[in-house]
Amino acid sequence: MVSKQITVALENGLHSKPARYFVDKAGSFVSDIRVIRHNKIIDAKSLLGLLSLGIANGSVVTVKAEGSDEKEAVEWLTRFLKGEEILY
């Protein structure tokens, strides 16, 4: 299992458009991926779950993955949340 805690640096937080992109990208990985905020754990491949976390700019979240591509999944998804992978 790979886990990384980061501070979200998306100007408008994780609203619907970047959240959809995040979920689609998470779905491209084989690993089970979870996002944790305030002790609430959701499946990173669930748009409604992700939106329910209310992730704003400056929020602290943890991304965890377990599976064959766990390292790549956590690296890419945390880079996205830090504003380093804006492709949507």
Side-chain angles (χ1 to χ4, degrees):
M1 178 180 287
V2 175
S3 172
K4 191 170 190 179
Q5 184 178 59
I6 58 113
T7 300
V8 176
L10 297 173
E11 184 177 338
N12 297 312
L14 205 57
H15 59 86
S16 60
K17 191 172 184 180
R20 165 52 63 197
Y21 187 72
F22 181 95
V23 167
D24 288 347
K25 187 64 178 182
S28 73
F29 294 104
V30 175
S31 298
D32 290 325
I33 307 167
R34 304 282 183 251
V35 178
I36 303 153
R37 180 170 185 239
H38 296 308
N39 296 323
K40 185 173 181 183
I41 303 169
I42 61 96
D43 180 350
K45 298 175 184 181
S46 165
L47 180 60
L48 290 177
L50 190 61
L51 291 173
S52 76
L53 294 179
I55 298 172
N57 187 21
S59 297
V60 176
V61 299
T62 302
V63 178
K64 288 186 178 184
E66 186 170 0
S68 60
D69 55 0
E70 60 192 23
K71 185 175 180 180
E72 296 85 2
V74 169
E75 276 302 311
W76 195 95
L77 295 171
T78 55
R79 279 197 325 266
F80 177 78
L81 292 174
K82 289 190 287 184
E84 299 171 7
E85 292 283 347
I86 304 297
L87 301 174
Y88 58 90

mmCIF file with all atom_site columns, all heavy atoms in Angstrom, residues 1 3 12 14 20 24 26-29 31 38-40 46-49 53-54 65 67 70 72 74 78-79 86:
data_model
loop_
_atom_site.group_PDB
_atom_site.id
_atom_site.type_symbol
_atom_site.label_atom_id
_atom_site.label_alt_id
_atom_site.label_comp_id
_atom_site.label_asym_id
_atom_site.label_entity_id
_atom_site.label_seq_id
_atom_site.pdbx_PDB_ins_code
_atom_site.Cartn_x
_atom_site.Cartn_y
_atom_site.Cartn_z
_atom_site.occupancy
_atom_site.B_iso_or_equiv
_atom_site.pdbx_formal_charge
_atom_site.auth_seq_id
_atom_site.auth_comp_id
_atom_site.auth_asym_id
_atom_site.auth_atom_id
_atom_site.pdbx_PDB_model_num
ATOM 1   N N   . MET A 1 1  ? 0.836   -1.182 0.000   1.00 0.00 ? 1  MET A N   1
ATOM 2   C CA  . MET A 1 1  ? 0.000   0.000  0.000   1.00 0.00 ? 1  MET A CA  1
ATOM 3   C C   . MET A 1 1  ? 0.881   1.245  0.000   1.00 0.00 ? 1  MET A C   1
ATOM 4   O O   . MET A 1 1  ? 1.861   1.328  0.721   1.00 0.00 ? 1  MET A O   1
ATOM 5   C CB  . MET A 1 1  ? -0.925  0.015  1.214   1.00 0.00 ? 1  MET A CB  1
ATOM 6   C CG  . MET A 1 1  ? -1.777  1.274  1.258   1.00 0.00 ? 1  MET A CG  1
ATOM 7   S SD  . MET A 1 1  ? -2.898  1.363  2.645   1.00 0.00 ? 1  MET A SD  1
ATOM 8   C CE  . MET A 1 1  ? -4.110  0.169  2.149   1.00 0.00 ? 1  MET A CE  1
ATOM 9   N N   . SER A 1 3  ? 0.687   5.509  0.338   1.00 0.00 ? 3  SER A N   1
ATOM 10  C CA  . SER A 1 3  ? -0.165  6.565  0.861   1.00 0.00 ? 3  SER A CA  1
ATOM 11  C C   . SER A 1 3  ? 0.606   7.874  0.854   1.00 0.00 ? 3  SER A C   1
ATOM 12  O O   . SER A 1 3  ? 1.807   7.897  1.116   1.00 0.00 ? 3  SER A O   1
ATOM 13  C CB  . SER A 1 3  ? -0.572  6.196  2.288   1.00 0.00 ? 3  SER A CB  1
ATOM 14  O OG  . SER A 1 3  ? -1.233  7.253  2.910   1.00 0.00 ? 3  SER A OG  1
ATOM 15  N N   . ASN A 1 12 ? -9.852  26.597 -7.517  1.00 0.00 ? 12 ASN A N   1
ATOM 16  C CA  . ASN A 1 12 ? -11.280 26.519 -7.186  1.00 0.00 ? 12 ASN A CA  1
ATOM 17  C C   . ASN A 1 12 ? -11.647 25.217 -6.484  1.00 0.00 ? 12 ASN A C   1
ATOM 18  O O   . ASN A 1 12 ? -12.822 24.848 -6.449  1.00 0.00 ? 12 ASN A O   1
ATOM 19  C CB  . ASN A 1 12 ? -12.117 26.701 -8.444  1.00 0.00 ? 12 ASN A CB  1
ATOM 20  C CG  . ASN A 1 12 ? -11.926 28.066 -9.057  1.00 0.00 ? 12 ASN A CG  1
ATOM 21  O OD1 . ASN A 1 12 ? -11.985 29.071 -8.361  1.00 0.00 ? 12 ASN A OD1 1
ATOM 22  N ND2 . ASN A 1 12 ? -11.664 28.108 -10.351 1.00 0.00 ? 12 ASN A ND2 1
ATOM 23  N N   . LEU A 1 14 ? -11.873 21.109 -5.770  1.00 0.00 ? 14 LEU A N   1
ATOM 24  C CA  . LEU A 1 14 ? -12.223 19.958 -6.605  1.00 0.00 ? 14 LEU A CA  1
ATOM 25  C C   . LEU A 1 14 ? -13.723 20.010 -6.913  1.00 0.00 ? 14 LEU A C   1
ATOM 26  O O   . LEU A 1 14 ? -14.510 19.259 -6.358  1.00 0.00 ? 14 LEU A O   1
ATOM 27  C CB  . LEU A 1 14 ? -11.837 18.663 -5.890  1.00 0.00 ? 14 LEU A CB  1
ATOM 28  C CG  . LEU A 1 14 ? -11.564 17.456 -6.770  1.00 0.00 ? 14 LEU A CG  1
ATOM 29  C CD1 . LEU A 1 14 ? -10.472 17.746 -7.787  1.00 0.00 ? 14 LEU A CD1 1
ATOM 30  C CD2 . LEU A 1 14 ? -11.182 16.252 -5.951  1.00 0.00 ? 14 LEU A CD2 1
ATOM 31  N N   . ARG A 1 20 ? -14.452 15.165 -12.064 1.00 0.00 ? 20 ARG A N   1
ATOM 32  C CA  . ARG A 1 20 ? -14.745 14.163 -13.111 1.00 0.00 ? 20 ARG A CA  1
ATOM 33  C C   . ARG A 1 20 ? -13.440 13.677 -13.735 1.00 0.00 ? 20 ARG A C   1
ATOM 34  O O   . ARG A 1 20 ? -13.239 12.490 -13.950 1.00 0.00 ? 20 ARG A O   1
ATOM 35  C CB  . ARG A 1 20 ? -15.674 14.778 -14.166 1.00 0.00 ? 20 ARG A CB  1
ATOM 36  C CG  . ARG A 1 20 ? -15.787 14.018 -15.482 1.00 0.00 ? 20 ARG A CG  1
ATOM 37  C CD  . ARG A 1 20 ? -16.125 12.557 -15.407 1.00 0.00 ? 20 ARG A CD  1
ATOM 38  N NE  . ARG A 1 20 ? -17.409 12.277 -14.841 1.00 0.00 ? 20 ARG A NE  1
ATOM 39  C CZ  . ARG A 1 20 ? -17.764 11.074 -14.380 1.00 0.00 ? 20 ARG A CZ  1
ATOM 40  N NH1 . ARG A 1 20 ? -16.923 10.054 -14.447 1.00 0.00 ? 20 ARG A NH1 1
ATOM 41  N NH2 . ARG A 1 20 ? -18.936 10.871 -13.860 1.00 0.00 ? 20 ARG A NH2 1
ATOM 42  N N   . ASP A 1 24 ? -12.053 9.887  -13.576 1.00 0.00 ? 24 ASP A N   1
ATOM 43  C CA  . ASP A 1 24 ? -11.743 9.165  -14.812 1.00 0.00 ? 24 ASP A CA  1
ATOM 44  C C   . ASP A 1 24 ? -10.309 8.655  -14.798 1.00 0.00 ? 24 ASP A C   1
ATOM 45  O O   . ASP A 1 24 ? -10.038 7.519  -15.196 1.00 0.00 ? 24 ASP A O   1
ATOM 46  C CB  . ASP A 1 24 ? -11.962 10.051 -16.039 1.00 0.00 ? 24 ASP A CB  1
ATOM 47  C CG  . ASP A 1 24 ? -13.433 10.299 -16.338 1.00 0.00 ? 24 ASP A CG  1
ATOM 48  O OD1 . ASP A 1 24 ? -14.292 9.589  -15.762 1.00 0.00 ? 24 ASP A OD1 1
ATOM 49  O OD2 . ASP A 1 24 ? -13.723 11.210 -17.136 1.00 0.00 ? 24 ASP A OD2 1
ATOM 50  N N   . ALA A 1 26 ? -8.430  8.118  -12.098 1.00 0.00 ? 26 ALA A N   1
ATOM 51  C CA  . ALA A 1 26 ? -8.343  7.074  -11.066 1.00 0.00 ? 26 ALA A CA  1
ATOM 52  C C   . ALA A 1 26 ? -8.853  5.745  -11.623 1.00 0.00 ? 26 ALA A C   1
ATOM 53  O O   . ALA A 1 26 ? -8.293  4.687  -11.335 1.00 0.00 ? 26 ALA A O   1
ATOM 54  C CB  . ALA A 1 26 ? -9.136  7.482  -9.825  1.00 0.00 ? 26 ALA A CB  1
ATOM 55  N N   . GLY A 1 27 ? -9.900  5.815  -12.442 1.00 0.00 ? 27 GLY A N   1
ATOM 56  C CA  . GLY A 1 27 ? -10.468 4.611  -13.043 1.00 0.00 ? 27 GLY A CA  1
ATOM 57  C C   . GLY A 1 27 ? -9.543  3.939  -14.043 1.00 0.00 ? 27 GLY A C   1
ATOM 58  O O   . GLY A 1 27 ? -9.710  2.764  -14.363 1.00 0.00 ? 27 GLY A O   1
ATOM 59  N N   . SER A 1 28 ? -8.556  4.665  -14.524 1.00 0.00 ? 28 SER A N   1
ATOM 60  C CA  . SER A 1 28 ? -7.616  4.074  -15.483 1.00 0.00 ? 28 SER A CA  1
ATOM 61  C C   . SER A 1 28 ? -6.552  3.225  -14.791 1.00 0.00 ? 28 SER A C   1
ATOM 62  O O   . SER A 1 28 ? -5.817  2.500  -15.459 1.00 0.00 ? 28 SER A O   1
ATOM 63  C CB  . SER A 1 28 ? -6.947  5.174  -16.321 1.00 0.00 ? 28 SER A CB  1
ATOM 64  O OG  . SER A 1 28 ? -6.000  5.897  -15.553 1.00 0.00 ? 28 SER A OG  1
ATOM 65  N N   . PHE A 1 29 ? -6.473  3.303  -13.464 1.00 0.00 ? 29 PHE A N   1
ATOM 66  C CA  . PHE A 1 29 ? -5.516  2.492  -12.711 1.00 0.00 ? 29 PHE A CA  1
ATOM 67  C C   . PHE A 1 29 ? -6.192  1.222  -12.217 1.00 0.00 ? 29 PHE A C   1
ATOM 68  O O   . PHE A 1 29 ? -7.386  1.215  -11.917 1.00 0.00 ? 29 PHE A O   1
ATOM 69  C CB  . PHE A 1 29 ? -4.964  3.280  -11.512 1.00 0.00 ? 29 PHE A CB  1
ATOM 70  C CG  . PHE A 1 29 ? -4.123  4.464  -11.898 1.00 0.00 ? 29 PHE A CG  1
ATOM 71  C CD1 . PHE A 1 29 ? -4.614  5.752  -11.802 1.00 0.00 ? 29 PHE A CD1 1
ATOM 72  C CD2 . PHE A 1 29 ? -2.825  4.288  -12.380 1.00 0.00 ? 29 PHE A CD2 1
ATOM 73  C CE1 . PHE A 1 29 ? -3.849  6.849  -12.158 1.00 0.00 ? 29 PHE A CE1 1
ATOM 74  C CE2 . PHE A 1 29 ? -2.056  5.380  -12.743 1.00 0.00 ? 29 PHE A CE2 1
ATOM 75  C CZ  . PHE A 1 29 ? -2.564  6.662  -12.634 1.00 0.00 ? 29 PHE A CZ  1
ATOM 76  N N   . SER A 1 31 ? -5.285  -0.432 -9.432  1.00 0.00 ? 31 SER A N   1
ATOM 77  C CA  . SER A 1 31 ? -5.281  -0.432 -7.969  1.00 0.00 ? 31 SER A CA  1
ATOM 78  C C   . SER A 1 31 ? -6.591  0.081  -7.374  1.00 0.00 ? 31 SER A C   1
ATOM 79  O O   . SER A 1 31 ? -7.308  0.861  -7.991  1.00 0.00 ? 31 SER A O   1
ATOM 80  C CB  . SER A 1 31 ? -4.146  0.458  -7.445  1.00 0.00 ? 31 SER A CB  1
ATOM 81  O OG  . SER A 1 31 ? -2.908  -0.035 -7.848  1.00 0.00 ? 31 SER A OG  1
ATOM 82  N N   . HIS A 1 38 ? -10.844 14.345 6.712   1.00 0.00 ? 38 HIS A N   1
ATOM 83  C CA  . HIS A 1 38 ? -11.586 14.408 7.981   1.00 0.00 ? 38 HIS A CA  1
ATOM 84  C C   . HIS A 1 38 ? -12.123 13.039 8.387   1.00 0.00 ? 38 HIS A C   1
ATOM 85  O O   . HIS A 1 38 ? -13.293 12.903 8.747   1.00 0.00 ? 38 HIS A O   1
ATOM 86  C CB  . HIS A 1 38 ? -12.737 15.402 7.903   1.00 0.00 ? 38 HIS A CB  1
ATOM 87  C CG  . HIS A 1 38 ? -12.326 16.815 7.694   1.00 0.00 ? 38 HIS A CG  1
ATOM 88  N ND1 . HIS A 1 38 ? -11.392 17.450 8.480   1.00 0.00 ? 38 HIS A ND1 1
ATOM 89  C CD2 . HIS A 1 38 ? -12.710 17.730 6.769   1.00 0.00 ? 38 HIS A CD2 1
ATOM 90  C CE1 . HIS A 1 38 ? -11.236 18.691 8.061   1.00 0.00 ? 38 HIS A CE1 1
ATOM 91  N NE2 . HIS A 1 38 ? -12.003 18.883 7.010   1.00 0.00 ? 38 HIS A NE2 1
ATOM 92  N N   . ASN A 1 39 ? -11.309 12.018 8.280   1.00 0.00 ? 39 ASN A N   1
ATOM 93  C CA  . ASN A 1 39 ? -11.662 10.646 8.651   1.00 0.00 ? 39 ASN A CA  1
ATOM 94  C C   . ASN A 1 39 ? -12.770 10.036 7.798   1.00 0.00 ? 39 ASN A C   1
ATOM 95  O O   . ASN A 1 39 ? -13.301 8.987  8.127   1.00 0.00 ? 39 ASN A O   1
ATOM 96  C CB  . ASN A 1 39 ? -12.037 10.546 10.133  1.00 0.00 ? 39 ASN A CB  1
ATOM 97  C CG  . ASN A 1 39 ? -10.865 10.872 11.025  1.00 0.00 ? 39 ASN A CG  1
ATOM 98  O OD1 . ASN A 1 39 ? -9.730  10.527 10.717  1.00 0.00 ? 39 ASN A OD1 1
ATOM 99  N ND2 . ASN A 1 39 ? -11.128 11.565 12.117  1.00 0.00 ? 39 ASN A ND2 1
ATOM 100 N N   . LYS A 1 40 ? -13.141 10.684 6.705   1.00 0.00 ? 40 LYS A N   1
ATOM 101 C CA  . LYS A 1 40 ? -14.101 10.108 5.769   1.00 0.00 ? 40 LYS A CA  1
ATOM 102 C C   . LYS A 1 40 ? -13.309 9.510  4.616   1.00 0.00 ? 40 LYS A C   1
ATOM 103 O O   . LYS A 1 40 ? -12.496 10.195 3.999   1.00 0.00 ? 40 LYS A O   1
ATOM 104 C CB  . LYS A 1 40 ? -15.072 11.178 5.269   1.00 0.00 ? 40 LYS A CB  1
ATOM 105 C CG  . LYS A 1 40 ? -16.154 10.606 4.382   1.00 0.00 ? 40 LYS A CG  1
ATOM 106 C CD  . LYS A 1 40 ? -17.209 11.646 4.018   1.00 0.00 ? 40 LYS A CD  1
ATOM 107 C CE  . LYS A 1 40 ? -18.268 10.997 3.158   1.00 0.00 ? 40 LYS A CE  1
ATOM 108 N NZ  . LYS A 1 40 ? -19.275 11.971 2.722   1.00 0.00 ? 40 LYS A NZ  1
ATOM 109 N N   . SER A 1 46 ? -15.291 7.070  -7.496  1.00 0.00 ? 46 SER A N   1
ATOM 110 C CA  . SER A 1 46 ? -16.684 7.464  -7.336  1.00 0.00 ? 46 SER A CA  1
ATOM 111 C C   . SER A 1 46 ? -16.805 8.983  -7.349  1.00 0.00 ? 46 SER A C   1
ATOM 112 O O   . SER A 1 46 ? -16.326 9.658  -6.433  1.00 0.00 ? 46 SER A O   1
ATOM 113 C CB  . SER A 1 46 ? -17.235 6.921  -6.012  1.00 0.00 ? 46 SER A CB  1
ATOM 114 O OG  . SER A 1 46 ? -18.446 7.562  -5.672  1.00 0.00 ? 46 SER A OG  1
ATOM 115 N N   . LEU A 1 47 ? -17.464 9.522  -8.374  1.00 0.00 ? 47 LEU A N   1
ATOM 116 C CA  . LEU A 1 47 ? -17.613 10.973 -8.485  1.00 0.00 ? 47 LEU A CA  1
ATOM 117 C C   . LEU A 1 47 ? -18.414 11.534 -7.307  1.00 0.00 ? 47 LEU A C   1
ATOM 118 O O   . LEU A 1 47 ? -18.007 12.517 -6.686  1.00 0.00 ? 47 LEU A O   1
ATOM 119 C CB  . LEU A 1 47 ? -18.277 11.346 -9.805  1.00 0.00 ? 47 LEU A CB  1
ATOM 120 C CG  . LEU A 1 47 ? -18.485 12.842 -10.053 1.00 0.00 ? 47 LEU A CG  1
ATOM 121 C CD1 . LEU A 1 47 ? -17.143 13.579 -10.042 1.00 0.00 ? 47 LEU A CD1 1
ATOM 122 C CD2 . LEU A 1 47 ? -19.209 13.070 -11.361 1.00 0.00 ? 47 LEU A CD2 1
ATOM 123 N N   . LEU A 1 48 ? -19.529 10.906 -6.985  1.00 0.00 ? 48 LEU A N   1
ATOM 124 C CA  . LEU A 1 48 ? -20.334 11.410 -5.867  1.00 0.00 ? 48 LEU A CA  1
ATOM 125 C C   . LEU A 1 48 ? -19.582 11.327 -4.549  1.00 0.00 ? 48 LEU A C   1
ATOM 126 O O   . LEU A 1 48 ? -19.659 12.238 -3.721  1.00 0.00 ? 48 LEU A O   1
ATOM 127 C CB  . LEU A 1 48 ? -21.659 10.648 -5.775  1.00 0.00 ? 48 LEU A CB  1
ATOM 128 C CG  . LEU A 1 48 ? -22.656 10.937 -6.892  1.00 0.00 ? 48 LEU A CG  1
ATOM 129 C CD1 . LEU A 1 48 ? -23.902 10.077 -6.741  1.00 0.00 ? 48 LEU A CD1 1
ATOM 130 C CD2 . LEU A 1 48 ? -23.023 12.403 -6.920  1.00 0.00 ? 48 LEU A CD2 1
ATOM 131 N N   . GLY A 1 49 ? -18.838 10.250 -4.367  1.00 0.00 ? 49 GLY A N   1
ATOM 132 C CA  . GLY A 1 49 ? -18.040 10.121 -3.145  1.00 0.00 ? 49 GLY A CA  1
ATOM 133 C C   . GLY A 1 49 ? -17.007 11.222 -3.051  1.00 0.00 ? 49 GLY A C   1
ATOM 134 O O   . GLY A 1 49 ? -16.848 11.861 -2.003  1.00 0.00 ? 49 GLY A O   1
ATOM 135 N N   . LEU A 1 53 ? -16.732 14.942 -0.291  1.00 0.00 ? 53 LEU A N   1
ATOM 136 C CA  . LEU A 1 53 ? -15.661 15.352 0.620   1.00 0.00 ? 53 LEU A CA  1
ATOM 137 C C   . LEU A 1 53 ? -15.529 16.877 0.698   1.00 0.00 ? 53 LEU A C   1
ATOM 138 O O   . LEU A 1 53 ? -14.907 17.397 1.630   1.00 0.00 ? 53 LEU A O   1
ATOM 139 C CB  . LEU A 1 53 ? -14.320 14.746 0.194   1.00 0.00 ? 53 LEU A CB  1
ATOM 140 C CG  . LEU A 1 53 ? -14.191 13.232 0.294   1.00 0.00 ? 53 LEU A CG  1
ATOM 141 C CD1 . LEU A 1 53 ? -12.812 12.787 -0.181  1.00 0.00 ? 53 LEU A CD1 1
ATOM 142 C CD2 . LEU A 1 53 ? -14.456 12.745 1.707   1.00 0.00 ? 53 LEU A CD2 1
ATOM 143 N N   . GLY A 1 54 ? -16.077 17.595 -0.266  1.00 0.00 ? 54 GLY A N   1
ATOM 144 C CA  . GLY A 1 54 ? -16.010 19.053 -0.256  1.00 0.00 ? 54 GLY A CA  1
ATOM 145 C C   . GLY A 1 54 ? -14.583 19.574 -0.258  1.00 0.00 ? 54 GLY A C   1
ATOM 146 O O   . GLY A 1 54 ? -14.227 20.446 0.521   1.00 0.00 ? 54 GLY A O   1
ATOM 147 N N   . ALA A 1 65 ? -3.436  3.936  -2.209  1.00 0.00 ? 65 ALA A N   1
ATOM 148 C CA  . ALA A 1 65 ? -3.691  2.971  -3.280  1.00 0.00 ? 65 ALA A CA  1
ATOM 149 C C   . ALA A 1 65 ? -3.062  1.639  -2.919  1.00 0.00 ? 65 ALA A C   1
ATOM 150 O O   . ALA A 1 65 ? -2.022  1.592  -2.259  1.00 0.00 ? 65 ALA A O   1
ATOM 151 C CB  . ALA A 1 65 ? -3.146  3.472  -4.610  1.00 0.00 ? 65 ALA A CB  1
ATOM 152 N N   . GLY A 1 67 ? -2.368  -2.070 -5.006  1.00 0.00 ? 67 GLY A N   1
ATOM 153 C CA  . GLY A 1 67 ? -2.479  -2.856 -6.220  1.00 0.00 ? 67 GLY A CA  1
ATOM 154 C C   . GLY A 1 67 ? -1.203  -2.778 -7.034  1.00 0.00 ? 67 GLY A C   1
ATOM 155 O O   . GLY A 1 67 ? -0.206  -2.193 -6.611  1.00 0.00 ? 67 GLY A O   1
ATOM 156 N N   . GLU A 1 70 ? 0.010   0.895  -7.785  1.00 0.00 ? 70 GLU A N   1
ATOM 157 C CA  . GLU A 1 70 ? -0.280  1.801  -6.672  1.00 0.00 ? 70 GLU A CA  1
ATOM 158 C C   . GLU A 1 70 ? 0.624   3.033  -6.632  1.00 0.00 ? 70 GLU A C   1
ATOM 159 O O   . GLU A 1 70 ? 0.167   4.148  -6.383  1.00 0.00 ? 70 GLU A O   1
ATOM 160 C CB  . GLU A 1 70 ? -0.218  1.061  -5.330  1.00 0.00 ? 70 GLU A CB  1
ATOM 161 C CG  . GLU A 1 70 ? 1.108   0.435  -5.026  1.00 0.00 ? 70 GLU A CG  1
ATOM 162 C CD  . GLU A 1 70 ? 1.094   -0.521 -3.843  1.00 0.00 ? 70 GLU A CD  1
ATOM 163 O OE1 . GLU A 1 70 ? 0.028   -1.057 -3.490  1.00 0.00 ? 70 GLU A OE1 1
ATOM 164 O OE2 . GLU A 1 70 ? 2.180   -0.728 -3.266  1.00 0.00 ? 70 GLU A OE2 1
ATOM 165 N N   . GLU A 1 72 ? 2.306   4.556  -9.104  1.00 0.00 ? 72 GLU A N   1
ATOM 166 C CA  . GLU A 1 72 ? 1.984   5.468  -10.198 1.00 0.00 ? 72 GLU A CA  1
ATOM 167 C C   . GLU A 1 72 ? 0.666   6.189  -9.935  1.00 0.00 ? 72 GLU A C   1
ATOM 168 O O   . GLU A 1 72 ? 0.541   7.384  -10.205 1.00 0.00 ? 72 GLU A O   1
ATOM 169 C CB  . GLU A 1 72 ? 1.908   4.714  -11.531 1.00 0.00 ? 72 GLU A CB  1
ATOM 170 C CG  . GLU A 1 72 ? 3.212   4.096  -11.969 1.00 0.00 ? 72 GLU A CG  1
ATOM 171 C CD  . GLU A 1 72 ? 3.459   2.712  -11.366 1.00 0.00 ? 72 GLU A CD  1
ATOM 172 O OE1 . GLU A 1 72 ? 2.598   2.191  -10.621 1.00 0.00 ? 72 GLU A OE1 1
ATOM 173 O OE2 . GLU A 1 72 ? 4.533   2.161  -11.625 1.00 0.00 ? 72 GLU A OE2 1
ATOM 174 N N   . VAL A 1 74 ? -0.859  6.920  -7.010  1.00 0.00 ? 74 VAL A N   1
ATOM 175 C CA  . VAL A 1 74 ? -0.735  7.932  -5.960  1.00 0.00 ? 74 VAL A CA  1
ATOM 176 C C   . VAL A 1 74 ? 0.073   9.120  -6.458  1.00 0.00 ? 74 VAL A C   1
ATOM 177 O O   . VAL A 1 74 ? -0.293  10.278 -6.226  1.00 0.00 ? 74 VAL A O   1
ATOM 178 C CB  . VAL A 1 74 ? -0.125  7.327  -4.673  1.00 0.00 ? 74 VAL A CB  1
ATOM 179 C CG1 . VAL A 1 74 ? 0.256   8.413  -3.682  1.00 0.00 ? 74 VAL A CG1 1
ATOM 180 C CG2 . VAL A 1 74 ? -1.104  6.348  -4.042  1.00 0.00 ? 74 VAL A CG2 1
ATOM 181 N N   . THR A 1 78 ? -1.871  12.716 -6.751  1.00 0.00 ? 78 THR A N   1
ATOM 182 C CA  . THR A 1 78 ? -1.444  13.779 -5.833  1.00 0.00 ? 78 THR A CA  1
ATOM 183 C C   . THR A 1 78 ? -0.860  14.966 -6.607  1.00 0.00 ? 78 THR A C   1
ATOM 184 O O   . THR A 1 78 ? -1.079  16.113 -6.223  1.00 0.00 ? 78 THR A O   1
ATOM 185 C CB  . THR A 1 78 ? -0.456  13.286 -4.756  1.00 0.00 ? 78 THR A CB  1
ATOM 186 O OG1 . THR A 1 78 ? 0.671   12.665 -5.371  1.00 0.00 ? 78 THR A OG1 1
ATOM 187 C CG2 . THR A 1 78 ? -1.130  12.316 -3.797  1.00 0.00 ? 78 THR A CG2 1
ATOM 188 N N   . ARG A 1 79 ? -0.158  14.706 -7.692  1.00 0.00 ? 79 ARG A N   1
ATOM 189 C CA  . ARG A 1 79 ? 0.337   15.811 -8.525  1.00 0.00 ? 79 ARG A CA  1
ATOM 190 C C   . ARG A 1 79 ? -0.838  16.622 -9.072  1.00 0.00 ? 79 ARG A C   1
ATOM 191 O O   . ARG A 1 79 ? -0.798  17.845 -9.105  1.00 0.00 ? 79 ARG A O   1
ATOM 192 C CB  . ARG A 1 79 ? 1.197   15.299 -9.683  1.00 0.00 ? 79 ARG A CB  1
ATOM 193 C CG  . ARG A 1 79 ? 2.617   14.983 -9.298  1.00 0.00 ? 79 ARG A CG  1
ATOM 194 C CD  . ARG A 1 79 ? 3.564   14.878 -10.493 1.00 0.00 ? 79 ARG A CD  1
ATOM 195 N NE  . ARG A 1 79 ? 3.000   14.308 -11.695 1.00 0.00 ? 79 ARG A NE  1
ATOM 196 C CZ  . ARG A 1 79 ? 3.063   13.024 -12.054 1.00 0.00 ? 79 ARG A CZ  1
ATOM 197 N NH1 . ARG A 1 79 ? 3.693   12.153 -11.290 1.00 0.00 ? 79 ARG A NH1 1
ATOM 198 N NH2 . ARG A 1 79 ? 2.527   12.609 -13.180 1.00 0.00 ? 79 ARG A NH2 1
ATOM 199 N N   . ILE A 1 86 ? -2.668  19.751 -14.805 1.00 0.00 ? 86 ILE A N   1
ATOM 200 C CA  . ILE A 1 86 ? -3.927  20.329 -15.246 1.00 0.00 ? 86 ILE A CA  1
ATOM 201 C C   . ILE A 1 86 ? -4.124  19.990 -16.730 1.00 0.00 ? 86 ILE A C   1
ATOM 202 O O   . ILE A 1 86 ? -3.544  20.603 -17.597 1.00 0.00 ? 86 ILE A O   1
ATOM 203 C CB  . ILE A 1 86 ? -3.966  21.853 -15.034 1.00 0.00 ? 86 ILE A CB  1
ATOM 204 C CG1 . ILE A 1 86 ? -3.685  22.194 -13.571 1.00 0.00 ? 86 ILE A CG1 1
ATOM 205 C CG2 . ILE A 1 86 ? -5.280  22.442 -15.506 1.00 0.00 ? 86 ILE A CG2 1
ATOM 206 C CD1 . ILE A 1 86 ? -4.717  21.665 -12.585 1.00 0.00 ? 86 ILE A CD1 1
#
